[in-house]
Amino acid sequence: MRKVFTTLAAVAAATLLTAGHASAAGTQVYKGTGWQLESSMTASGDGIHSLNKNATYTITFADSAARKTLEYYYKPLADWMTKQTGVKFTVSATNLPEPTACSTAPIHTIVIGLKTRPMKDKGMSHTSPCYDTRDDTAYGAWIDMDKEYWDHPGWFSGTGKNTTLDFAMIWNANAHELGHAIGLDHPNTRDSKGVVKPFDCVKNSAGWRPLMCSPNGGPTNKTGVNYTAYDIAGIKQLVANYTLPAPAKAKPKVKAGQPAGVTALPARVSD
Ligand SMILES: [Zn+2]
């Protein structure tokens, strides 16, 4: 079993947000059956709590090679996300260089690159999500998809054929990383140190784990956008949280001039 890596990504605080989305009953929720938000794992509660309903999240690619391979997946993913959330996700035709820090990343933009072993580890992709320290909304992200999935037919099945399973797993890997980009964490059971126990997730009646389970879950018998009902509950909560007040312990802490961190989590291991 391969190690799970975490890295830090940071976002700079800019100006104070005018308050104004605290009205509905109850408070924000960060965890449920088969889903959890990345912010639920930070001691301070900082991190992505919600999707900004007033934003348009723009997906784009780091270069033409990444676009050529990946646009095929992210256009349907963007459409699906828009439909499910009511928040606009769009794919831009203009490539952008991959950010190296949240403090200099373009707002509400998800830049996707294609690299061989971006984590230096076989079969692992990676996402660095950023959050807006003014209100803990999803700020944007950059994603590095592992090029090996495409370079080696049968990467997931090991058969050398582009089977439904292989294609489904490629879809799931992309959807999994997009899930991280908007704030979803692995819903796995964790050990006493908070490290995920691989594959240790709830299953539905068909036997599928949440797509956000680590290593990637989701159905493997169909291709396309495969988020499960577990993942969808988390995605919908990211929207609901936007108009709910944060619990007292998870109030955004504005740190003027001082970047805050959010844990970025990796995707799929190949074995
Ligand atoms: Zn992951």
Side-chain angles (χ1 to χ4, degrees):
M1 198 51 56
R2 294 188 179 274
K3 266 172 42 182
V4 171
F5 290 85
T6 59
T7 56
L8 288 179
V11 63
T15 53
L16 273 166
L17 182 80
T18 49
H21 39 90
S23 57
T27 55
Q28 294 178 337
V29 179
Y30 306 137
K31 198 173 180 177
T33 303
W35 67 272
Q36 73 178 68
L37 305 190
E38 286 157 357
S39 54
S40 71
M41 293 303 294
T42 63
S44 63
D46 280 342
I48 298 172
H49 292 174
S50 63
L51 280 166
N52 187 332
K53 275 187 180 174
N54 298 318
T56 293
Y57 288 92
T58 300
I59 295 171
T60 191
F61 303 93
D63 52 44
S64 56
R67 178 180 297 278
K68 192 177 171 200
T69 299
L70 299 171
E71 196 172 44
Y72 172 86
Y73 304 94
Y74 284 91
K75 277 194 168 170
L77 280 165
D79 290 346
W80 184 94
M81 207 53 91
T82 299
K83 211 170 181 178
Q84 287 291 329
T85 62
V87 179
K88 179 88 175 148
F89 283 77
T90 186
V91 175
S92 165
T94 306
N95 295 339
L96 281 179
E98 213 173 294
T100 53
C102 290
S103 55
T104 52
I107 191 165
H108 301 146
T109 302
I110 299 167
V111 183
I112 309 168
L114 188 62
K115 296 178 181 171
T116 299
R117 300 191 184 182
M119 299 295 291
K120 311 272 185 253
D121 211 356
K122 186 181 171 188
M124 290 187 75
S125 299
H126 180 256
T127 298
S128 298
C130 306
Y131 67 96
D132 194 323
T133 53
R134 295 168 294 184
D135 59 358
D136 279 344
T137 55
Y139 185 94
W142 61 98
I143 297 173
D144 287 318
M145 294 307 300
D146 185 4
K147 195 163 168 287
E148 293 178 301
Y149 312 154
W150 290 271
D151 285 348
H152 304 283
W155 178 259
F156 293 99
S157 67
T159 64
K161 296 174 186 167
N162 192 5
T163 60
T164 300
L165 182 146
D166 280 308
F167 198 23
M169 289 302 293
I170 286 176
W171 268 103
N172 292 356
N174 284 294
H176 182 106
E177 295 309 314
L178 184 61
H180 284 319
I182 63 168
L184 295 176
D185 197 354
H186 303 133
N188 300 52
T189 306
R190 292 168 193 263
D191 67 19
S192 58
K193 289 178 180 164
V195 177
V196 300
K197 295 182 176 175
F199 302 105
D200 199 347
C201 296
V202 64
K203 287 184 196 172
N204 66 17
S205 56
W208 304 122
R209 297 175 176 85
L211 199 153
M212 293 309 297
C213 190
S214 179
N216 291 1
T220 57
N221 63 345
K222 59 191 176 87
T223 61
V225 180
N226 277 338
Y227 292 109
T228 67
Y230 301 119
D231 307 294
I232 292 169
I235 289 165
K236 288 193 179 294
Q237 191 65 48
L238 280 164
V239 180
N241 281 350
Y242 187 65
T243 45
L244 291 170
K249 66 179 169 55
K251 288 257 167 63
K253 297 169 194 66
V254 177
K255 306 170 188 73
Q258 183 193 344
V262 62
T263 304
L265 294 153
R268 163 80 186 164
V269 299
S270 62
D271 47 355

mmCIF file with all atom_site columns, all heavy atoms in Angstrom, residues 160-183:
data_model
loop_
_atom_site.group_PDB
_atom_site.id
_atom_site.type_symbol
_atom_site.label_atom_id
_atom_site.label_alt_id
_atom_site.label_comp_id
_atom_site.label_asym_id
_atom_site.label_entity_id
_atom_site.label_seq_id
_atom_site.pdbx_PDB_ins_code
_atom_site.Cartn_x
_atom_site.Cartn_y
_atom_site.Cartn_z
_atom_site.occupancy
_atom_site.B_iso_or_equiv
_atom_site.pdbx_formal_charge
_atom_site.auth_seq_id
_atom_site.auth_comp_id
_atom_site.auth_asym_id
_atom_site.auth_atom_id
_atom_site.pdbx_PDB_model_num
ATOM 1   N N   . GLY A 1 160 ? -4.240  -4.327 -20.264 1.00 0.00 ? 160 GLY A N   1
ATOM 2   C CA  . GLY A 1 160 ? -3.741  -3.770 -21.519 1.00 0.00 ? 160 GLY A CA  1
ATOM 3   C C   . GLY A 1 160 ? -4.847  -3.412 -22.488 1.00 0.00 ? 160 GLY A C   1
ATOM 4   O O   . GLY A 1 160 ? -4.593  -2.949 -23.583 1.00 0.00 ? 160 GLY A O   1
ATOM 5   N N   . LYS A 1 161 ? -6.081  -3.604 -22.085 1.00 0.00 ? 161 LYS A N   1
ATOM 6   C CA  . LYS A 1 161 ? -7.207  -3.227 -22.940 1.00 0.00 ? 161 LYS A CA  1
ATOM 7   C C   . LYS A 1 161 ? -7.931  -2.049 -22.299 1.00 0.00 ? 161 LYS A C   1
ATOM 8   O O   . LYS A 1 161 ? -7.980  -1.940 -21.079 1.00 0.00 ? 161 LYS A O   1
ATOM 9   C CB  . LYS A 1 161 ? -8.183  -4.399 -23.081 1.00 0.00 ? 161 LYS A CB  1
ATOM 10  C CG  . LYS A 1 161 ? -7.572  -5.592 -23.777 1.00 0.00 ? 161 LYS A CG  1
ATOM 11  C CD  . LYS A 1 161 ? -8.557  -6.752 -23.734 1.00 0.00 ? 161 LYS A CD  1
ATOM 12  C CE  . LYS A 1 161 ? -7.911  -8.014 -24.287 1.00 0.00 ? 161 LYS A CE  1
ATOM 13  N NZ  . LYS A 1 161 ? -8.704  -9.216 -23.999 1.00 0.00 ? 161 LYS A NZ  1
ATOM 14  N N   . ASN A 1 162 ? -8.499  -1.205 -23.139 1.00 0.00 ? 162 ASN A N   1
ATOM 15  C CA  . ASN A 1 162 ? -9.227  -0.067 -22.585 1.00 0.00 ? 162 ASN A CA  1
ATOM 16  C C   . ASN A 1 162 ? -10.638 -0.527 -22.202 1.00 0.00 ? 162 ASN A C   1
ATOM 17  O O   . ASN A 1 162 ? -11.622 -0.213 -22.827 1.00 0.00 ? 162 ASN A O   1
ATOM 18  C CB  . ASN A 1 162 ? -9.270  1.078  -23.585 1.00 0.00 ? 162 ASN A CB  1
ATOM 19  C CG  . ASN A 1 162 ? -9.763  2.359  -22.929 1.00 0.00 ? 162 ASN A CG  1
ATOM 20  O OD1 . ASN A 1 162 ? -9.973  2.410  -21.719 1.00 0.00 ? 162 ASN A OD1 1
ATOM 21  N ND2 . ASN A 1 162 ? -9.966  3.367  -23.733 1.00 0.00 ? 162 ASN A ND2 1
ATOM 22  N N   . THR A 1 163 ? -10.691 -1.283 -21.141 1.00 0.00 ? 163 THR A N   1
ATOM 23  C CA  . THR A 1 163 ? -11.952 -1.854 -20.701 1.00 0.00 ? 163 THR A CA  1
ATOM 24  C C   . THR A 1 163 ? -12.821 -0.785 -20.061 1.00 0.00 ? 163 THR A C   1
ATOM 25  O O   . THR A 1 163 ? -12.373 0.309  -19.761 1.00 0.00 ? 163 THR A O   1
ATOM 26  C CB  . THR A 1 163 ? -11.695 -2.935 -19.653 1.00 0.00 ? 163 THR A CB  1
ATOM 27  O OG1 . THR A 1 163 ? -11.020 -2.307 -18.556 1.00 0.00 ? 163 THR A OG1 1
ATOM 28  C CG2 . THR A 1 163 ? -10.841 -4.058 -20.213 1.00 0.00 ? 163 THR A CG2 1
ATOM 29  N N   . THR A 1 164 ? -14.063 -1.137 -19.827 1.00 0.00 ? 164 THR A N   1
ATOM 30  C CA  . THR A 1 164 ? -14.966 -0.227 -19.122 1.00 0.00 ? 164 THR A CA  1
ATOM 31  C C   . THR A 1 164 ? -14.361 0.155  -17.780 1.00 0.00 ? 164 THR A C   1
ATOM 32  O O   . THR A 1 164 ? -14.414 1.306  -17.364 1.00 0.00 ? 164 THR A O   1
ATOM 33  C CB  . THR A 1 164 ? -16.335 -0.902 -18.907 1.00 0.00 ? 164 THR A CB  1
ATOM 34  O OG1 . THR A 1 164 ? -16.873 -1.218 -20.187 1.00 0.00 ? 164 THR A OG1 1
ATOM 35  C CG2 . THR A 1 164 ? -17.298 0.010  -18.174 1.00 0.00 ? 164 THR A CG2 1
ATOM 36  N N   . LEU A 1 165 ? -13.771 -0.806 -17.105 1.00 0.00 ? 165 LEU A N   1
ATOM 37  C CA  . LEU A 1 165 ? -13.190 -0.516 -15.800 1.00 0.00 ? 165 LEU A CA  1
ATOM 38  C C   . LEU A 1 165 ? -12.080 0.527  -15.908 1.00 0.00 ? 165 LEU A C   1
ATOM 39  O O   . LEU A 1 165 ? -12.040 1.481  -15.140 1.00 0.00 ? 165 LEU A O   1
ATOM 40  C CB  . LEU A 1 165 ? -12.647 -1.800 -15.171 1.00 0.00 ? 165 LEU A CB  1
ATOM 41  C CG  . LEU A 1 165 ? -12.046 -1.671 -13.770 1.00 0.00 ? 165 LEU A CG  1
ATOM 42  C CD1 . LEU A 1 165 ? -12.315 -2.937 -12.956 1.00 0.00 ? 165 LEU A CD1 1
ATOM 43  C CD2 . LEU A 1 165 ? -10.547 -1.398 -13.801 1.00 0.00 ? 165 LEU A CD2 1
ATOM 44  N N   . ASP A 1 166 ? -11.189 0.363  -16.867 1.00 0.00 ? 166 ASP A N   1
ATOM 45  C CA  . ASP A 1 166 ? -10.102 1.332  -17.022 1.00 0.00 ? 166 ASP A CA  1
ATOM 46  C C   . ASP A 1 166 ? -10.644 2.733  -17.297 1.00 0.00 ? 166 ASP A C   1
ATOM 47  O O   . ASP A 1 166 ? -10.184 3.709  -16.710 1.00 0.00 ? 166 ASP A O   1
ATOM 48  C CB  . ASP A 1 166 ? -9.173  0.919  -18.176 1.00 0.00 ? 166 ASP A CB  1
ATOM 49  C CG  . ASP A 1 166 ? -8.208  -0.157 -17.743 1.00 0.00 ? 166 ASP A CG  1
ATOM 50  O OD1 . ASP A 1 166 ? -7.543  0.029  -16.717 1.00 0.00 ? 166 ASP A OD1 1
ATOM 51  O OD2 . ASP A 1 166 ? -8.135  -1.191 -18.433 1.00 0.00 ? 166 ASP A OD2 1
ATOM 52  N N   . PHE A 1 167 ? -11.609 2.790  -18.191 1.00 0.00 ? 167 PHE A N   1
ATOM 53  C CA  . PHE A 1 167 ? -12.163 4.088  -18.582 1.00 0.00 ? 167 PHE A CA  1
ATOM 54  C C   . PHE A 1 167 ? -12.926 4.692  -17.404 1.00 0.00 ? 167 PHE A C   1
ATOM 55  O O   . PHE A 1 167 ? -12.834 5.901  -17.122 1.00 0.00 ? 167 PHE A O   1
ATOM 56  C CB  . PHE A 1 167 ? -13.062 3.900  -19.805 1.00 0.00 ? 167 PHE A CB  1
ATOM 57  C CG  . PHE A 1 167 ? -13.346 5.153  -20.572 1.00 0.00 ? 167 PHE A CG  1
ATOM 58  C CD1 . PHE A 1 167 ? -12.509 6.261  -20.501 1.00 0.00 ? 167 PHE A CD1 1
ATOM 59  C CD2 . PHE A 1 167 ? -14.463 5.215  -21.388 1.00 0.00 ? 167 PHE A CD2 1
ATOM 60  C CE1 . PHE A 1 167 ? -12.789 7.417  -21.218 1.00 0.00 ? 167 PHE A CE1 1
ATOM 61  C CE2 . PHE A 1 167 ? -14.755 6.373  -22.109 1.00 0.00 ? 167 PHE A CE2 1
ATOM 62  C CZ  . PHE A 1 167 ? -13.919 7.467  -22.020 1.00 0.00 ? 167 PHE A CZ  1
ATOM 63  N N   . ALA A 1 168 ? -13.683 3.850  -16.699 1.00 0.00 ? 168 ALA A N   1
ATOM 64  C CA  . ALA A 1 168 ? -14.417 4.345  -15.523 1.00 0.00 ? 168 ALA A CA  1
ATOM 65  C C   . ALA A 1 168 ? -13.450 4.892  -14.477 1.00 0.00 ? 168 ALA A C   1
ATOM 66  O O   . ALA A 1 168 ? -13.687 5.936  -13.868 1.00 0.00 ? 168 ALA A O   1
ATOM 67  C CB  . ALA A 1 168 ? -15.267 3.225  -14.918 1.00 0.00 ? 168 ALA A CB  1
ATOM 68  N N   . MET A 1 169 ? -12.342 4.196  -14.286 1.00 0.00 ? 169 MET A N   1
ATOM 69  C CA  . MET A 1 169 ? -11.377 4.636  -13.270 1.00 0.00 ? 169 MET A CA  1
ATOM 70  C C   . MET A 1 169 ? -10.712 5.953  -13.654 1.00 0.00 ? 169 MET A C   1
ATOM 71  O O   . MET A 1 169 ? -10.398 6.770  -12.788 1.00 0.00 ? 169 MET A O   1
ATOM 72  C CB  . MET A 1 169 ? -10.321 3.553  -13.033 1.00 0.00 ? 169 MET A CB  1
ATOM 73  C CG  . MET A 1 169 ? -10.832 2.316  -12.307 1.00 0.00 ? 169 MET A CG  1
ATOM 74  S SD  . MET A 1 169 ? -11.562 2.669  -10.684 1.00 0.00 ? 169 MET A SD  1
ATOM 75  C CE  . MET A 1 169 ? -10.113 3.218  -9.786  1.00 0.00 ? 169 MET A CE  1
ATOM 76  N N   . ILE A 1 170 ? -10.496 6.156  -14.943 1.00 0.00 ? 170 ILE A N   1
ATOM 77  C CA  . ILE A 1 170 ? -9.939  7.438  -15.379 1.00 0.00 ? 170 ILE A CA  1
ATOM 78  C C   . ILE A 1 170 ? -10.947 8.563  -15.118 1.00 0.00 ? 170 ILE A C   1
ATOM 79  O O   . ILE A 1 170 ? -10.609 9.625  -14.594 1.00 0.00 ? 170 ILE A O   1
ATOM 80  C CB  . ILE A 1 170 ? -9.521  7.371  -16.864 1.00 0.00 ? 170 ILE A CB  1
ATOM 81  C CG1 . ILE A 1 170 ? -8.236  6.542  -16.992 1.00 0.00 ? 170 ILE A CG1 1
ATOM 82  C CG2 . ILE A 1 170 ? -9.323  8.766  -17.447 1.00 0.00 ? 170 ILE A CG2 1
ATOM 83  C CD1 . ILE A 1 170 ? -7.761  6.323  -18.419 1.00 0.00 ? 170 ILE A CD1 1
ATOM 84  N N   . TRP A 1 171 ? -12.185 8.304  -15.460 1.00 0.00 ? 171 TRP A N   1
ATOM 85  C CA  . TRP A 1 171 ? -13.240 9.274  -15.147 1.00 0.00 ? 171 TRP A CA  1
ATOM 86  C C   . TRP A 1 171 ? -13.270 9.554  -13.634 1.00 0.00 ? 171 TRP A C   1
ATOM 87  O O   . TRP A 1 171 ? -13.344 10.699 -13.198 1.00 0.00 ? 171 TRP A O   1
ATOM 88  C CB  . TRP A 1 171 ? -14.605 8.729  -15.572 1.00 0.00 ? 171 TRP A CB  1
ATOM 89  C CG  . TRP A 1 171 ? -15.033 9.096  -16.948 1.00 0.00 ? 171 TRP A CG  1
ATOM 90  C CD1 . TRP A 1 171 ? -15.018 8.310  -18.056 1.00 0.00 ? 171 TRP A CD1 1
ATOM 91  C CD2 . TRP A 1 171 ? -15.559 10.363 -17.370 1.00 0.00 ? 171 TRP A CD2 1
ATOM 92  N NE1 . TRP A 1 171 ? -15.493 9.004  -19.138 1.00 0.00 ? 171 TRP A NE1 1
ATOM 93  C CE2 . TRP A 1 171 ? -15.841 10.263 -18.743 1.00 0.00 ? 171 TRP A CE2 1
ATOM 94  C CE3 . TRP A 1 171 ? -15.819 11.563 -16.715 1.00 0.00 ? 171 TRP A CE3 1
ATOM 95  C CZ2 . TRP A 1 171 ? -16.375 11.318 -19.479 1.00 0.00 ? 171 TRP A CZ2 1
ATOM 96  C CZ3 . TRP A 1 171 ? -16.350 12.621 -17.439 1.00 0.00 ? 171 TRP A CZ3 1
ATOM 97  C CH2 . TRP A 1 171 ? -16.626 12.497 -18.807 1.00 0.00 ? 171 TRP A CH2 1
ATOM 98  N N   . ASN A 1 172 ? -13.235 8.483  -12.861 1.00 0.00 ? 172 ASN A N   1
ATOM 99  C CA  . ASN A 1 172 ? -13.344 8.635  -11.407 1.00 0.00 ? 172 ASN A CA  1
ATOM 100 C C   . ASN A 1 172 ? -12.154 9.397  -10.828 1.00 0.00 ? 172 ASN A C   1
ATOM 101 O O   . ASN A 1 172 ? -12.313 10.175 -9.890  1.00 0.00 ? 172 ASN A O   1
ATOM 102 C CB  . ASN A 1 172 ? -13.473 7.266  -10.735 1.00 0.00 ? 172 ASN A CB  1
ATOM 103 C CG  . ASN A 1 172 ? -14.790 6.576  -11.059 1.00 0.00 ? 172 ASN A CG  1
ATOM 104 O OD1 . ASN A 1 172 ? -15.650 7.153  -11.725 1.00 0.00 ? 172 ASN A OD1 1
ATOM 105 N ND2 . ASN A 1 172 ? -14.949 5.344  -10.608 1.00 0.00 ? 172 ASN A ND2 1
ATOM 106 N N   . ALA A 1 173 ? -10.966 9.169  -11.405 1.00 0.00 ? 173 ALA A N   1
ATOM 107 C CA  . ALA A 1 173 ? -9.787  9.877  -10.906 1.00 0.00 ? 173 ALA A CA  1
ATOM 108 C C   . ALA A 1 173 ? -9.937  11.380 -11.136 1.00 0.00 ? 173 ALA A C   1
ATOM 109 O O   . ALA A 1 173 ? -9.611  12.195 -10.267 1.00 0.00 ? 173 ALA A O   1
ATOM 110 C CB  . ALA A 1 173 ? -8.526  9.353  -11.595 1.00 0.00 ? 173 ALA A CB  1
ATOM 111 N N   . ASN A 1 174 ? -10.441 11.756 -12.300 1.00 0.00 ? 174 ASN A N   1
ATOM 112 C CA  . ASN A 1 174 ? -10.653 13.185 -12.578 1.00 0.00 ? 174 ASN A CA  1
ATOM 113 C C   . ASN A 1 174 ? -11.733 13.777 -11.678 1.00 0.00 ? 174 ASN A C   1
ATOM 114 O O   . ASN A 1 174 ? -11.570 14.868 -11.119 1.00 0.00 ? 174 ASN A O   1
ATOM 115 C CB  . ASN A 1 174 ? -11.003 13.388 -14.058 1.00 0.00 ? 174 ASN A CB  1
ATOM 116 C CG  . ASN A 1 174 ? -9.790  13.281 -14.957 1.00 0.00 ? 174 ASN A CG  1
ATOM 117 O OD1 . ASN A 1 174 ? -8.894  14.110 -14.899 1.00 0.00 ? 174 ASN A OD1 1
ATOM 118 N ND2 . ASN A 1 174 ? -9.737  12.244 -15.780 1.00 0.00 ? 174 ASN A ND2 1
ATOM 119 N N   . ALA A 1 175 ? -12.834 13.042 -11.528 1.00 0.00 ? 175 ALA A N   1
ATOM 120 C CA  . ALA A 1 175 ? -13.921 13.547 -10.672 1.00 0.00 ? 175 ALA A CA  1
ATOM 121 C C   . ALA A 1 175 ? -13.469 13.639 -9.221  1.00 0.00 ? 175 ALA A C   1
ATOM 122 O O   . ALA A 1 175 ? -13.851 14.563 -8.490  1.00 0.00 ? 175 ALA A O   1
ATOM 123 C CB  . ALA A 1 175 ? -15.141 12.624 -10.795 1.00 0.00 ? 175 ALA A CB  1
ATOM 124 N N   . HIS A 1 176 ? -12.649 12.692 -8.792  1.00 0.00 ? 176 HIS A N   1
ATOM 125 C CA  . HIS A 1 176 ? -12.119 12.674 -7.423  1.00 0.00 ? 176 HIS A CA  1
ATOM 126 C C   . HIS A 1 176 ? -11.281 13.939 -7.167  1.00 0.00 ? 176 HIS A C   1
ATOM 127 O O   . HIS A 1 176 ? -11.447 14.621 -6.144  1.00 0.00 ? 176 HIS A O   1
ATOM 128 C CB  . HIS A 1 176 ? -11.282 11.410 -7.255  1.00 0.00 ? 176 HIS A CB  1
ATOM 129 C CG  . HIS A 1 176 ? -10.691 11.193 -5.911  1.00 0.00 ? 176 HIS A CG  1
ATOM 130 N ND1 . HIS A 1 176 ? -11.175 10.239 -5.025  1.00 0.00 ? 176 HIS A ND1 1
ATOM 131 C CD2 . HIS A 1 176 ? -9.649  11.784 -5.278  1.00 0.00 ? 176 HIS A CD2 1
ATOM 132 C CE1 . HIS A 1 176 ? -10.447 10.265 -3.919  1.00 0.00 ? 176 HIS A CE1 1
ATOM 133 N NE2 . HIS A 1 176 ? -9.510  11.192 -4.043  1.00 0.00 ? 176 HIS A NE2 1
ATOM 134 N N   . GLU A 1 177 ? -10.406 14.260 -8.110  1.00 0.00 ? 177 GLU A N   1
ATOM 135 C CA  . GLU A 1 177 ? -9.562  15.447 -7.934  1.00 0.00 ? 177 GLU A CA  1
ATOM 136 C C   . GLU A 1 177 ? -10.396 16.726 -7.949  1.00 0.00 ? 177 GLU A C   1
ATOM 137 O O   . GLU A 1 177 ? -10.129 17.647 -7.172  1.00 0.00 ? 177 GLU A O   1
ATOM 138 C CB  . GLU A 1 177 ? -8.477  15.499 -9.013  1.00 0.00 ? 177 GLU A CB  1
ATOM 139 C CG  . GLU A 1 177 ? -7.471  14.362 -8.944  1.00 0.00 ? 177 GLU A CG  1
ATOM 140 C CD  . GLU A 1 177 ? -6.867  14.170 -7.563  1.00 0.00 ? 177 GLU A CD  1
ATOM 141 O OE1 . GLU A 1 177 ? -6.474  15.157 -6.925  1.00 0.00 ? 177 GLU A OE1 1
ATOM 142 O OE2 . GLU A 1 177 ? -6.807  13.015 -7.110  1.00 0.00 ? 177 GLU A OE2 1
ATOM 143 N N   . LEU A 1 178 ? -11.404 16.776 -8.822  1.00 0.00 ? 178 LEU A N   1
ATOM 144 C CA  . LEU A 1 178 ? -12.281 17.954 -8.831  1.00 0.00 ? 178 LEU A CA  1
ATOM 145 C C   . LEU A 1 178 ? -13.009 18.072 -7.486  1.00 0.00 ? 178 LEU A C   1
ATOM 146 O O   . LEU A 1 178 ? -13.212 19.177 -6.972  1.00 0.00 ? 178 LEU A O   1
ATOM 147 C CB  . LEU A 1 178 ? -13.283 17.882 -9.995  1.00 0.00 ? 178 LEU A CB  1
ATOM 148 C CG  . LEU A 1 178 ? -14.192 19.100 -10.153 1.00 0.00 ? 178 LEU A CG  1
ATOM 149 C CD1 . LEU A 1 178 ? -13.387 20.381 -10.428 1.00 0.00 ? 178 LEU A CD1 1
ATOM 150 C CD2 . LEU A 1 178 ? -15.210 18.875 -11.282 1.00 0.00 ? 178 LEU A CD2 1
ATOM 151 N N   . GLY A 1 179 ? -13.370 16.929 -6.910  1.00 0.00 ? 179 GLY A N   1
ATOM 152 C CA  . GLY A 1 179 ? -13.999 16.931 -5.577  1.00 0.00 ? 179 GLY A CA  1
ATOM 153 C C   . GLY A 1 179 ? -13.085 17.568 -4.540  1.00 0.00 ? 179 GLY A C   1
ATOM 154 O O   . GLY A 1 179 ? -13.527 18.385 -3.720  1.00 0.00 ? 179 GLY A O   1
ATOM 155 N N   . HIS A 1 180 ? -11.797 17.219 -4.582  1.00 0.00 ? 180 HIS A N   1
ATOM 156 C CA  . HIS A 1 180 ? -10.838 17.857 -3.666  1.00 0.00 ? 180 HIS A CA  1
ATOM 157 C C   . HIS A 1 180 ? -10.762 19.364 -3.927  1.00 0.00 ? 180 HIS A C   1
ATOM 158 O O   . HIS A 1 180 ? -10.671 20.162 -2.996  1.00 0.00 ? 180 HIS A O   1
ATOM 159 C CB  . HIS A 1 180 ? -9.433  17.273 -3.854  1.00 0.00 ? 180 HIS A CB  1
ATOM 160 C CG  . HIS A 1 180 ? -9.237  15.922 -3.243  1.00 0.00 ? 180 HIS A CG  1
ATOM 161 N ND1 . HIS A 1 180 ? -9.751  15.580 -2.014  1.00 0.00 ? 180 HIS A ND1 1
ATOM 162 C CD2 . HIS A 1 180 ? -8.556  14.830 -3.675  1.00 0.00 ? 180 HIS A CD2 1
ATOM 163 C CE1 . HIS A 1 180 ? -9.389  14.334 -1.728  1.00 0.00 ? 180 HIS A CE1 1
ATOM 164 N NE2 . HIS A 1 180 ? -8.678  13.855 -2.725  1.00 0.00 ? 180 HIS A NE2 1
ATOM 165 N N   . ALA A 1 181 ? -10.788 19.727 -5.208  1.00 0.00 ? 181 ALA A N   1
ATOM 166 C CA  . ALA A 1 181 ? -10.634 21.145 -5.562  1.00 0.00 ? 181 ALA A CA  1
ATOM 167 C C   . ALA A 1 181 ? -11.742 22.004 -4.965  1.00 0.00 ? 181 ALA A C   1
ATOM 168 O O   . ALA A 1 181 ? -11.521 23.178 -4.648  1.00 0.00 ? 181 ALA A O   1
ATOM 169 C CB  . ALA A 1 181 ? -10.605 21.301 -7.084  1.00 0.00 ? 181 ALA A CB  1
ATOM 170 N N   . ILE A 1 182 ? -12.926 21.418 -4.791  1.00 0.00 ? 182 ILE A N   1
ATOM 171 C CA  . ILE A 1 182 ? -14.032 22.217 -4.232  1.00 0.00 ? 182 ILE A CA  1
ATOM 172 C C   . ILE A 1 182 ? -14.199 21.992 -2.723  1.00 0.00 ? 182 ILE A C   1
ATOM 173 O O   . ILE A 1 182 ? -15.096 22.561 -2.117  1.00 0.00 ? 182 ILE A O   1
ATOM 174 C CB  . ILE A 1 182 ? -15.366 21.959 -4.972  1.00 0.00 ? 182 ILE A CB  1
ATOM 175 C CG1 . ILE A 1 182 ? -15.843 20.513 -4.821  1.00 0.00 ? 182 ILE A CG1 1
ATOM 176 C CG2 . ILE A 1 182 ? -15.234 22.350 -6.447  1.00 0.00 ? 182 ILE A CG2 1
ATOM 177 C CD1 . ILE A 1 182 ? -17.278 20.285 -5.292  1.00 0.00 ? 182 ILE A CD1 1
ATOM 178 N N   . GLY A 1 183 ? -13.353 21.154 -2.125  1.00 0.00 ? 183 GLY A N   1
ATOM 179 C CA  . GLY A 1 183 ? -13.371 21.071 -0.657  1.00 0.00 ? 183 GLY A CA  1
ATOM 180 C C   . GLY A 1 183 ? -13.661 19.721 -0.052  1.00 0.00 ? 183 GLY A C   1
ATOM 181 O O   . GLY A 1 183 ? -13.688 19.594 1.170   1.00 0.00 ? 183 GLY A O   1
#
